[in-house]
Amino acid sequence: MLRVTRRFVHALVLLLGVSAISFALLSAAPGNVFDELRLNPQISPEAVAALKAQFGVDLPWPTRYAHWLASVLRGEFGYSVSYRCRVGTLLWPRARNTLLLTALATILAWMIAVPWGIVEALHRGRWLDRLGGGITAILLAIPELVLVLLLLWLAARTRWFPTGGMFSLGSAELTISRKAWDLAQHLILPVLALALGTAPFLIRYVRSAISAVLDAPFLQSARGFGIGTARIVYRHALPAAANSLISLLGFSIGALLSTSLLIEVVLSWPGLGPLMLEAMLARDTCVVMAVVMLSAVFLVLGNLIADLLLYWSDPRIRAV
Amino acid sequence: MENRPPANGQAQPPVLLSVQGLSLEYARRHAFRAKRTETHALRDVSFDLREGETLALVGPSGSGKSSLAKCLVLLETPSTGRILYRGTDILQLPPEARREVRGEMHLIFQDASTALNPRWTVTEIVREPLTIHSKGLSSAESTRLVIEALEQVELGANWHARRPRELSGGQRQRVALARALMLRPKLLILDEALASLDLSAQGQLGNLLLELQQRYAMSYLYVTHDMRMASVLAHHFAVLDGGRIVPRTLPTELIAGTLQPVS
Amino acid sequence: MPNRLRTVILISFLALLHLALLFAGFFAPYDFAQQHRDLPFAPPTRLHLVDAAGTWHAWPFVHSLRANVDGSDGYTEDVAQAYPLRLFVRGNAFQIVGPWTAHVHLFGVASPGQIFLFGTDDFGRDELSRMLFGGRISLFAGILGATAALSVGAFLGVLSGFYSGWTDAVIMRTSELFLALPWLYLLFAVRAILPLRVKTTDAFLLFIVVVGLVAWARPARLVRGIVLSARERHFALAARAMGASNFHVLRYHILPEIYVLLLTTAALLIPQFVLAEVTLSFLGLGVGEPIPTWGNLLIPMQKYSVLRSYWWLCLPAFALVLLFLAYHWASTTLQAALGEVRS
């Protein structure tokens, strides 16, 4: 229990540190949302000045950071000048969409990677392994950006599934089940791109983790007793490799979130990615800050969960 | 089994190294716990070593032998106690003087395969002490010294350009010995230096050590768990167990003769 | 030995790729900004050996292109005129390094003829030339970024591993802060701090260096691990016991262990930073028109018409994949070699 509390406190401190640094740097950045507003002829300089006073832009950053923290605790994450609403209300639907996308893609990627990795490990050095290894090597070398462009091309060419967005136009009038079907269709492309971008990395890892276990003396002797391959894999190898696979889950989250950002922007999936891009272009510091923090929260939480899973699955760690 | 007579006849040679009340603790701190766990590696260890003589420190593994060896060459800082080398406490010396002393005592590790940098050739390894103590020698001169040292340990010229991986265990230990000889040390600390070798290599190296001791009047601190080898090499012995020196009854064939326990 | 052969192939391929991009001006027949307004979206120029009359030629030649007379999109070759391919021709001046310029290009054709081996874009600019010049910026971004990340990472990692205690604690806790952000979010966050509209490529490369400075955390932790284990190796301890200074132990016993690690890490980091440049320029946050990079060359690939009719505009994507393959291959080869050395 002590360990869990400690990890939790550590994560919290980490997030506070990240937020303080990001806040300080972002407030030191040249140009802010008011400079962009000033360019707009419809807004008078007096109005801009009033807004500036209202938002306390000219206060020193520690004061503003304290205000910001208070606002985070209220779930508001500050106020977006360009969207004219609390950042929190902007953030939650976007965060939900990003989570939906990454969660589905993670499931799909693992569903591809685990069987594939096991098959490669069982056929080590033989043609099936070489073929699989070749495919993963090529997939690894294709940057996610190119991958998503290729899938976009495929979608445009075949018209099998929509090429962007989350819902079709006019989907608001549809029934719930129709709406879900529409959403599912829109999910295909981003989820596929994200899963294919992540899977080769996972496959390699699963292969080496399973191979390492298969080489362990206890499994060698189990094989010697004539225990079948399927039983070896599911009853012995997978549980033994579980630890390294759980840690893999932990540190693949960062890559997953990064890839997701890119894919969301290219496929205009209404997640955190496009929000961040728009906010950057509008110099809306509060929104940028909120998205950056949220990504850090996802990453740190993901690692925390992987850590707790590890703790739960491995009695040796619990004993420490 | 033959034991060695005192180094130079009847007159007691002067004390070279005197260890007094040495203790070493490894402390481990725990977060959120005020208590520290302390492991006592050494407790109140004292002994004297005279010039030209060999003291065997015998003890089972985990008795603190290696910790002691590391303390003596200042790789570990003991928590209490003094290490007197020719009468001065080396723990209190300023860095420059420490360097001087470190040139005069040399630690030889148990496993020469880890104690020699695998990237270097034998010549480069043996030359290292000269680089460290930047003796201001010409390269021809330092090469001569290196070859001389390698001759002392009977390692032929065709091995000089090899890397440690290509040598046998005994040869590696010879290289380590040659490296030690470069600075004409007064004291060699042999930390299980023969333990990882096979019997014949142990015998050869043991003889070599005896010969070198005669030639250069070196003192050896021979740290080992192997009483048989200790009885061949040592003038005196002490038993280390659980981090302290204990009076202990030894097998009769070992205490027969002149092997004298240290008080 | 097939292993050695593969290494030779890998090294020559990498060398060729880097030389071609470094001396883009020499290998490219045109300047990256040179427009041929009458030839937008021209397909790759075909090299012929057989002329209209059916006679074989020993040396390849090209025909010039004319827009289709029936008004449809596309071009037909004007077979009446043939322009033989020429090597080392004089053309536009280009910059080699700094103030040195040259006029000689690897290949080209005589004046009214045009050669677009990879076709042209919507302004009639030669795609091959744009790819070579663009690759130069992308690759430099990768190399500069990786160099920055590795130098800072190695420095702090050595500091942290060698002087344990509070130095170590401070550096490691700070590195955790940097690792708490997903890489692309970190990239965007740093980009958000800097002015939105970056003027020239120099400013952009400077930005990549800044990113490199931010990406020091992972190399630093790797280096620290190596230093921690190297520091306790017996040969390092032996040197210390002989009275060696910190500098000696570092220089002779610890740093050599790190060099190999830095090399393998570089093989992983360079593609990552190339991708950083590509991503930013693709999203309009990096280098913009008319200067090409592999990032903004990919922008047309978002258009369906391009994907459907002008396939040659997808070639930059393949160049990117090729670069990635080469670097991945290099990194696995290096790691395998490392494994052999270790055992």
Side-chain angles (χ1 to χ4, degrees), chain A residues 10 29-30 141 153 156 258 276 283, chain C residues 176 184 188 192-194 307 324:
Chain A
H10 182 244
W153 173 76
S258 291
M276 172 132 179
R283 288 273 145 183
Chain C
E176 277 172 17
L184 215 54
F188 272 43
I193 293 165
L194 298 169
L307 291 169
F324 265 62

Side-chain angles (χ1 to χ4, degrees), chain B residues 82-98:
Chain B
R82 303 197 297 167
I83 302 172
L84 301 179
Y85 179 78
R86 294 183 192 279
T88 40
D89 187 356
I90 56 174
L91 291 169
Q92 309 295 333
L93 284 179
E96 197 40 46
R98 266 185 180 210

Side-chain angles (χ1 to χ4, degrees), chain A residues 77-270:
Chain A
F77 283 91
Y79 189 86
S80 160
V81 181
S82 60
Y83 289 92
R84 299 179 191 256
C85 62
R86 294 202 174 86
V87 177
T89 54
L90 273 174
L91 214 54
W92 303 126
R94 300 295 194 120
R96 190 197 58 209
N97 295 347
T98 293
L99 277 182
L100 176 68
L101 178 58
T102 44
L104 286 177
T106 309
I107 294 170
L108 182 61
W110 281 82
M111 275 166 57
I112 299 171
V114 171
W116 189 334
I118 290 175
V119 168
E120 275 193 27
L122 286 175
H123 291 256
R124 247 175 314 160
R126 280 182 276 165
W127 66 267
L128 201 58
D129 177 35
R130 296 225 183 111
L131 179 73
I135 294 173
T136 37
I138 290 170
L139 276 177
L140 265 179
I142 298 180
E144 283 82 8
L145 182 59
V146 174
L147 188 73
V148 68
L149 288 176
L150 282 177
L151 285 174
L152 200 59
W153 173 76
L154 189 75
R157 188 105 215 191
T158 60
R159 301 189 185 279
W160 284 341
F161 31 82
T163 54
M166 195 167 172
F167 290 104
S168 307
L169 281 175
S171 67
E173 287 96 62
L174 295 175
T175 58
I176 298 284
S177 61
R178 288 265 174 158
K179 221 171 153 176
W181 176 238
D182 189 42
L183 173 65
Q185 281 185 317
H186 279 84
L187 269 167
I188 295 176
L189 196 56
V191 167
L192 201 62
L194 194 47
L196 282 183
T198 326
F201 166 69
L202 298 182
I203 290 170
R204 283 220 166 161
Y205 205 93
V206 171
R207 177 187 181 273
S208 70
I210 298 282
S211 307
V213 177
L214 286 179
D215 282 342
F218 81 96
L219 277 192
Q220 294 282 3
S221 62
R223 285 182 148 187
F225 282 122
I227 299 175
T229 310
R231 197 181 159 82
I232 294 246
V233 167
Y234 292 106
R235 295 298 295 274
H236 301 286
L238 266 182
N243 270 0
S244 46
L245 294 186
I246 290 172
S247 349
L248 172 66
L249 180 68
F251 57 69
S252 68
I253 291 173
L256 204 68
L257 284 170
S258 291
T259 315
S260 173
L261 170 66
L262 185 65
I263 286 170
E264 285 169 17
V265 171
V266 177
L267 297 179
S268 46
W269 177 263

